[in-house]
Amino acid sequence: METVSVAIASIGRETLLDTLRSLAAVTRPAGVDLKVLVADDSKSGAATKLVTAHPIKSLDVTCLAVASGNISTARNALLNAADGGWLIFVDDDEWVEPDWLVKLFDCQKEFNADVVIGPVKPVYPDNTPDWLRRANPLYTDWGHRGKRLYTGRGGNTLVRVDFVRALKLRFDEAYGRTGGEDTIFFAQAAERGARIFATDDAIAREHVPQERLSMNFILSRAVRAGQSYGQMRLARHPDPLWHMVFALGALAKCGVAGSLALSFRLFDKARSFRMRQKLSLNMGKLRAVFGRPLAELYKKPD
């Protein structure tokens, strides 16, 4: 029997219950024992109280008291607690399709992957403007099934535990409130030989709260993503000349994206906004070149 641990860092959002209910309903491949680990990162034990108050039959859930206010610390606690060969990171605002687990392992076996990254599709509030739905600004397309990747993220992601432990990989706590810790973690794994692949059929969906639809949040998140990516690439290439080429490339992309954003604004608001996101992403890369600090992305738990 192969033990698979689903790892969830949570501060006790109500959406955690949707996550757990969807996990209870998944089809389990033959010989797989599914366990759920919840790293309770709230000061008040909110996630533990939520799980205790709403037990779900047929789902083995263990809560870990972390209370750090740092998602890297919470994810490292989940790595420590996993007692099987595989761990799957799922966020506490996500829920998964019934065939999700089967599809993740189908991809893993086909490509002998150490890490498999599935899509997380946003579910927007009913009052979301049509143009914003078409822009779909909170969706990141990691690619088709079998696409080789060299970084990753911490949601809807299958990880071979033995590989991580053999290399003593950890999430960097310096990025635990800013974001980018998962980008760095999986980039380090890839550098050390991890076979990371995307799949487009192991589907998770996520709730999008109203406050995340603000232009400021979406564009700030794009800046942060670009900066995290830039820091990762710059760390791998210490040559100052390479840094200059990287900066010039980002600057050129800023110019193109800015021009297209203005042009599309006249007849396609959705495409214009996507170009604004690309502009913000490349501004983030420039922030990395100039060593600007990352803003805190995650709220401290109660």
Side-chain angles (χ1 to χ4, degrees):
M1 184 69 72
E2 178 74 79
T3 298
V4 177
S5 299
V6 178
I8 306 170
S10 178
I11 57 173
R13 292 186 288 187
E14 291 283 337
T15 52
L16 173 62
L17 295 178
D18 291 335
T19 308
L20 297 177
R21 290 176 185 129
S22 71
L23 291 171
V26 300
T27 300
R28 303 184 186 187
V32 168
D33 180 27
L34 190 68
K35 296 184 178 181
V36 178
L37 301 172
V38 177
D40 188 342
D41 208 23
S42 67
K43 299 293 185 183
S44 62
T48 302
K49 292 174 184 175
L50 191 64
V51 171
T52 302
H54 300 86
I56 297 174
K57 291 183 178 180
S58 75
L59 195 64
D60 181 353
V61 183
T62 300
C63 293
L64 313 171
V66 179
S68 65
N70 185 305
I71 197 169
S72 291
T73 304
R75 285 179 169 155
N76 286 333
L78 292 164
L79 284 175
N80 293 341
D83 59 0
W86 295 95
L87 181 148
I88 309 174
F89 287 108
V90 175
D91 288 341
D92 71 350
D93 59 352
E94 298 174 357
W95 70 96
V96 300
E97 296 289 312
D99 63 354
W100 162 80
L101 189 62
V102 171
K103 296 296 186 181
L104 280 177
F105 276 101
D106 283 350
C107 182
Q108 187 279 317
K109 291 173 184 175
E110 182 177 353
F111 299 100
N112 189 27
D114 299 301
V115 177
V116 177
I117 297 176
V120 179
K121 299 190 176 184
V123 177
Y124 295 101
D126 291 341
N127 62 347
T128 303
D130 180 65
W131 71 266
L132 193 55
R133 289 181 186 275
R134 287 188 290 108
N136 202 12
L138 297 181
Y139 175 65
T140 301
D141 185 359
W142 287 81
H144 58 82
R145 180 186 175 95
K147 180 181 178 182
R148 185 77 181 264
L149 303 172
Y150 295 92
T151 185
R153 59 137 192 268
N156 196 12
T157 301
L158 174 70
V159 179
R160 191 191 301 272
V161 174
D162 288 348
F163 184 93
V164 169
R165 288 182 176 162
L167 295 178
K168 299 181 179 180
L169 291 172
R170 308 290 285 174
F171 290 94
D172 190 337
E173 295 185 2
Y175 293 88
R177 294 193 180 97
T178 62
E181 80 294 335
D182 47 358
T183 302
I184 294 168
F185 178 91
F186 288 107
Q188 290 175 341
E191 286 176 358
R192 301 180 192 185
R195 293 171 54 82
I196 304 177
F197 289 89
T199 191
D200 53 10
D201 55 3
I203 297 171
R205 303 184 191 277
E206 67 173 342
H207 296 277
V208 177
Q210 192 70 45
E211 59 269 21
R212 292 195 177 185
L213 292 182
S214 75
M215 302 300 101
N216 182 62
F217 175 85
I218 294 170
L219 297 178
S220 294
R221 183 166 126 159
V223 171
R224 195 272 302 166
Q227 190 169 355
S228 297
Y229 174 79
Q231 288 178 337
M232 175 192 71
R233 294 298 305 277
L234 294 170
R236 292 169 63 185
H237 300 277
D239 182 356
L241 180 58
W242 194 94
H243 287 208
M244 182 181 297
V245 172
F246 181 82
L248 290 173
L251 188 61
K253 290 175 182 178
C254 281
V256 172
S259 298
L260 289 174
L262 288 173
S263 299
F264 287 138
R265 189 175 182 179
L266 298 174
F267 58 91
D268 192 333
K269 192 173 181 180
R271 292 181 72 181
S272 175
F273 190 69
R274 290 292 288 184
M275 289 300 105
R276 288 181 66 188
Q277 277 188 282
K278 290 184 181 295
L279 172 61
S280 297
L281 186 80
N282 284 286
M283 288 175 63
K285 294 177 186 178
L286 292 174
R287 285 180 62 87
V289 172
F290 291 104
R292 302 298 299 163
L294 280 167
E296 291 196 5
L297 186 63
Y298 300 103
K299 292 182 180 179
K300 295 180 182 180
D302 296 333

